[in-house]
Amino acid sequence: MMGGMSRRPPDITPDLLLRAYRAGLFPMAESREGRRLYWLDPELRGILPLEGFHLPRRLLRTVLSGPYRVTVNQAFAATIAGCAAPAPGREDSWINPEIETLFTTLHRMGHGHSVETWAEGELVGGLYGVALGGAFFGESMFSRARDASKVALVHLVARLRLGGFTLLDTQFITGHLAQFGACEIPRAAYKQRLAEAMAVEAMFPVEPEGLTEAIRALRPPGGEG
């Protein structure tokens, strides 16, 4: 599944990283302590259709009235650190210090974004990724409390729809993402969608108007679950 893997050139700069994303490539390290990065271009690419997001009724209630406070771009470094930290079933990580440095720089450049979930003043979940044109490249998410990362994902999807995005790239598919409608498409089909998204002028909305309505709209009337 991880086809098209190759070793990186000696140095990856933020600008090179952005060019790679526009071409459909993304970097990963072998492990948390690994010093080498690899470019990946999988034969099958994971995406989460923004117009086909599956939002369970219970999760909608949690998002709208649950215990979490949600912020955007308020704790990017802490969010990527949370994604890199060991967790049950994920003792190691592909996020090494170089990845953290590169994406933190993209955040300062206005391309890297995080969605954070908080409980009683503590960061308990979140996700981060990169926005380019009308595409959002989701990198990773973490959760230290029930539904914390799911709440962040719902907020991300609602904001992307409000901001005019057309592509949410998840890179690969997990059971966690599949329950929301994520699927795999062939590399050629992904590159076509990516090219179309690069021609779109979207804006990542931090505090958009109509957010609650956009979240409610993710669950169509009469939806199952």
Side-chain angles (χ1 to χ4, degrees):
M1 178 170 160
M2 295 170 64
M5 178 182 289
S6 60
R7 290 190 177 183
R8 69 172 176 90
D11 294 299
I12 295 180
T13 64
D15 287 338
L16 176 60
L17 185 55
L18 293 177
R19 292 200 300 271
Y21 272 103
R22 291 188 180 98
L25 307 177
F26 60 90
M28 294 181 73
E30 289 181 313
S31 66
R32 176 65 173 160
E33 302 302 324
R35 295 188 177 183
R36 290 176 177 168
L37 298 186
Y38 298 86
W39 291 118
L40 276 75
D41 185 16
E43 293 181 6
L44 294 175
R45 191 67 163 249
I47 64 168
L48 183 50
L50 293 171
E51 299 303 321
F53 187 74
H54 300 166
L55 178 57
R57 183 182 298 108
R58 182 192 64 79
L59 183 57
L60 175 60
R61 290 197 298 267
T62 299
V63 173
L64 295 178
S65 59
Y68 301 123
R69 180 174 66 91
V70 178
T71 59
V72 170
N73 292 341
Q74 295 301 303
F76 187 90
T79 299
I80 193 171
C83 292
R90 190 191 67 193
E91 283 67 36
D92 202 355
S93 171
W94 56 267
I95 302 171
N96 69 356
E98 184 175 2
I99 290 280
E100 290 188 80
T101 298
L102 281 167
F103 282 88
T104 300
T105 301
L106 291 187
H107 172 61
R108 290 197 295 267
M109 294 170 63
H111 291 291
H113 300 284
S114 58
V115 181
E116 309 100 7
T117 49
W118 307 79
E120 298 180 353
E122 179 183 355
L123 182 66
V124 294
L127 57 83
Y128 77 97
V130 174
L132 279 174
F136 188 88
F137 305 90
E139 290 296 314
S140 189
M141 60 177 60
F142 80 100
S143 181
R144 298 187 184 124
R146 183 182 181 185
D147 292 336
S149 63
K150 294 179 182 179
V151 169
L153 180 61
V154 171
H155 272 261
L156 173 68
V157 171
R159 282 175 163 82
L160 294 181
R161 286 175 48 154
L162 284 172
F165 286 79
T166 61
L167 176 65
L168 174 50
D169 173 9
T170 66
Q171 299 177 348
F172 301 111
I173 293 297
T174 65
H176 179 78
L177 292 171
Q179 65 182 300
F180 296 106
C183 60
E184 291 178 326
I185 60 175
R187 180 189 294 154
Y190 170 77
K191 294 293 179 67
Q192 179 62 38
R193 294 196 186 196
L194 176 61
E196 294 170 355
M198 288 299 97
V200 172
E201 293 186 8
M203 178 181 295
F204 190 87
V206 175
E207 296 182 2
E209 294 183 5
L211 179 60
T212 298
E213 291 77 10
I215 290 173
R216 291 185 184 278
L218 295 178
R219 180 173 175 79
E224 296 180 358

